[in-house]
Amino acid sequence: MSVDAALQSYLQERGLDQAVADLMGRAAGVPGLAARCEQAGLDPAAVTSVAALSELPVLAKDAVIALQRADPPFGGLLAQDADVVRVFQSPGPLYEPQLDGADSWRWGQVFADLGVGEGDTVLNCFGYHLSPAGAMMEEGARAAGARVLPGGIGNQDLQVGAIADLGITAYAGLPSYLKALVERYDEAGLPRERWRLDRAMVTAEPLPDSLRALLVERVPTVRMAYGTGETGLLAYENGDGAGLVLADGVLVQVCDIATGAPITDETEGEVVVTVLRPHYPLVRFGTGDLSGWMLGPDGSLRLRGVLGRTGSAVKVKGMFLHPTQVAAVLGGIGGVAGYRFVIGREDHKDTLRCEVVAEPGADADALVAEIGSRVREGLRFRAEVVVVQALTEGEGPIVDTRDWS
């Protein structure tokens, strides 16, 4: 079977043409979507298929941020009668509403496929403050029937104690953080026989083969999943070693970066998502992630994983770092002649260093303290701040030196 044939099967078997027609019929009155359709010369009532929907230009993440700034808080993209139970803030800032209803981001699919259910306790090591990841994973695990320990990030001594005391059986978080917990458990001298954690769902950073090999020595089943804060779960590994299975409840396309046209072969393009929810219809949303199609052993359509980014934002420590956000937080600091962030990777963990060029006569120690504070509070990152003599020309405000081999 060709990728094109598998793509047609995907659309037919999931009923996505009808789902698109239903979405546009119910969501056409949402102001932001109506304005996009009008600008594109599309009649929402005539959009009754995925092919017709694909005439709508891709909505970039930066465009959503601009819409929210112009028309706060949600840029006209939220239906007036939407029942919002939580609001999150991702870097940008981008405000993300959580709608009422169980597992509204659909992460329960990956936990269920992982075999997580009643009788399991999941240690959720994603952040619960401002960003949506912690709440996303908690609701997904609970939808699968499991209990959840809301671990968040940090407090590793308490977390490894809980792994032993509570009989934690599953994990959700960064793969690098799981490695750190395994090491901390052993360093604490906790009994190996009380380690019952045998399944892990990891996401938000790459999982190179070298790191996977280390993890499965202690956690036999480690599955990578892919989603975004705006769209929820998009695809996940199912254990057969062949790409990412596409999630239900969402239309995933790979599109030409220049034109937005859907790609129907193995060519790389941007992952473009339509979330099938009429009260917050993110339609043809450009994630900024690069991927491509492949076939699974059963001939089904799969994503090849995240192959890179289309824009200037870089994901580090599981969150995005945006040049515009950096400029807003660090711009205008007296005594600074220049700065840049350098992202590295050591022992399967991201590192972040802020290099600063001080103006003549500036107090270097005071600059380091002030910039460190601004990075923590404004960017929500911890970074090593160092004063340097000069920056390398032409590399921009963010330099990524990581090697994922």
Side-chain angles (χ1 to χ4, degrees):
M1 181 181 289
S2 67
V3 165
D4 183 53
L7 180 57
Q8 295 308 312
S9 294
Y10 161 66
L11 299 179
Q12 293 169 7
E13 291 170 4
R14 307 283 182 103
L16 288 170
D17 283 335
Q18 185 61 53
V20 163
D22 292 344
L23 174 71
M24 297 302 288
R26 297 176 61 190
V30 175
L33 179 59
R36 290 178 63 203
C37 288
E38 183 178 1
Q39 291 168 5
L42 287 178
D43 176 4
V47 180
T48 59
S49 67
V50 173
L53 184 73
S54 299
E55 296 298 316
L56 191 67
V58 172
L59 179 67
K61 184 172 183 174
D62 285 347
V64 177
I65 294 172
L67 286 172
Q68 291 188 353
R69 287 174 178 165
D71 183 14
F74 300 117
L77 299 178
L78 186 72
Q80 186 173 1
D81 60 345
D83 189 356
V84 177
V85 296
R86 289 191 182 106
V87 178
F88 297 99
Q89 182 197 75
S90 291
L94 177 65
Y95 295 102
E96 293 145 343
Q98 177 190 343
L99 303 185
D100 189 25
D103 194 24
S104 58
W105 286 293
R106 308 173 309 282
W107 285 89
Q109 297 174 54
V110 67
F111 286 105
D113 192 77
L114 191 58
V116 171
E118 187 176 349
D120 285 304
T121 302
V122 178
L123 173 59
N124 181 11
C125 290
F126 280 110
Y128 279 77
H129 300 133
L130 290 180
S131 63
M136 283 185 171
M137 304 310 164
E138 174 164 323
E139 296 213 349
R142 292 182 63 195
R147 298 179 294 270
V148 177
L149 176 63
I153 301 168
N155 299 314
Q156 290 183 11
D157 288 336
L158 296 177
Q159 289 174 357
V160 297
I163 289 172
D165 294 340
L166 299 178
I168 297 292
T169 54
Y171 166 90
L174 300 175
S176 60
Y177 195 76
L178 178 57
K179 177 179 179 291
L181 287 179
V182 171
E183 294 171 347
R184 188 71 197 101
Y185 190 96
D186 293 342
E187 290 168 0
L190 294 167
R192 182 68 70 90
E193 64 270 16
R194 292 171 65 186
W195 176 279
R196 295 180 54 204
L197 202 167
D198 60 1
R199 284 155 292 169
M201 189 285 298
V202 298
T203 188
E205 68 181 11
L207 177 60
D209 291 342
S210 56
L211 178 54
R212 189 193 293 266
L214 289 174
L215 294 178
V216 298
E217 291 178 2
R218 287 288 288 277
V219 184
T221 303
V222 178
R223 301 269 182 88
M224 170 63 78
Y226 165 51
T228 77
E230 303 83 18
T231 63
L233 176 68
L234 300 178
Y236 56 93
E237 292 180 336
N238 70 351
D240 65 11
L244 304 179
V245 175
L246 296 169
D248 290 326
V250 63
L251 167 64
V252 178
Q253 298 176 292
V254 176
C255 296
D256 184 275
I257 296 171
T259 67
I263 292 171
T264 59
D265 57 20
E266 293 86 353
T267 306
E268 292 179 15
E270 181 179 15
V271 178
V272 173
V273 177
T274 297
V275 184
L276 302 171
R277 56 186 180 198
H279 288 94
Y280 186 53
L282 272 184
V283 177
R284 295 266 291 162
F285 174 77
T287 64
D289 294 324
L290 291 172
S291 191
W293 296 124
M294 64 177 290
L295 298 180
D298 57 356
S300 65
L301 191 69
R302 308 277 179 94
L303 277 178
R304 298 209 305 268
V306 178
L307 308 177
R309 291 283 299 170
T310 64
S312 54
V314 181
K315 183 171 279 190
V316 54
K317 300 183 180 181
M319 296 195 305
F320 283 110
L321 185 63
H322 295 258
T324 54
Q325 183 188 19
V326 168
V329 171
L330 297 188
I333 299 178
V336 175
Y339 61 83
R340 71 174 181 183
F341 284 91
V342 180
I343 304 168
R345 188 86 171 163
E346 295 178 4
D347 193 24
H348 297 291
K349 292 187 290 187
D350 288 346
T351 61
L352 185 62
R353 184 175 73 253
C354 181
E355 298 180 344
V356 180
V357 177
E359 291 181 345
D363 185 330
D365 291 339
L367 283 181
V368 167
E370 180 178 0
I371 290 173
S373 175
R374 290 204 185 195
V375 170
R376 286 191 302 273
E377 296 174 6
L379 300 177
R380 308 209 312 260
F381 284 101
R382 291 190 177 275
E384 176 193 14
V385 182
V386 296
V387 175
V388 297
Q389 293 298 313
L391 303 177
T392 306
E393 292 289 337
E395 291 189 339
I398 302 174
V399 180
D400 191 350
T401 67
R402 292 172 293 186
D403 181 357
W404 295 104
S405 59

